[in-house]
Amino acid sequence: MYDIITLTGMKVAELKSVAEELKISGADKLKKQDLIYKIMDVQSLQSAPASNEPTPPAPVSTEKAAPAEDNNSRKKRERIIKSDEPKPKADLFGGRRWLICSS
């Protein structure tokens, strides 16, 4: 069974031979990425259980998780105190002076 990392490292010719082993039809027409996903799909279907019965869901815990203790260990940011002095107003023209000439 191939994983996605192994398949990505293979050349297209190697992927086509893997597709032939898995009896994938039309593999010669697929691009490399599509071929990788097709191989992964076929492998997952082959390794799936043969029974049609649904698997029972995992039991759900009713207990609440304990809060993380790391929240208090974070460093708080310093508060910036604003001064009472008014900020200089930005120039509408970005500091450039324009001369408008009329003809």
Side-chain angles (χ1 to χ4, degrees), residues 8 16 23 45 51 59 71 82 88-89 95:
T8 306
K16 288 181 181 179
K23 298 174 182 152
L45 291 174
S51 67
N71 291 342
K82 295 182 179 180
K89 293 186 177 181

Side-chain angles (χ1 to χ4, degrees), residues 23-66:
K23 298 174 182 152
I24 298 174
S25 61
D28 55 339
K29 297 176 184 176
L30 296 174
K31 295 180 182 178
K32 181 177 180 176
Q33 197 67 31
D34 296 332
L35 189 55
I36 289 171
Y37 287 124
K38 187 71 171 179
I39 291 170
M40 295 293 291
D41 287 341
V42 170
Q43 286 183 140
S44 66
L45 291 174
Q46 288 179 352
S47 65
S51 67
N52 290 337
E53 297 178 18
T55 57
V60 178
S61 175
T62 58
E63 298 176 14
K64 290 186 178 180

Side-chain angles (χ1 to χ4, degrees), residues 2-21:
Y2 299 96
D3 62 347
I4 194 160
I5 296 170
T6 307
L7 293 172
T8 306
M10 290 182 171
K11 295 181 180 179
V12 177
E14 295 170 330
L15 290 170
K16 288 181 181 179
S17 66
V18 171
E20 287 178 19
E21 291 173 13

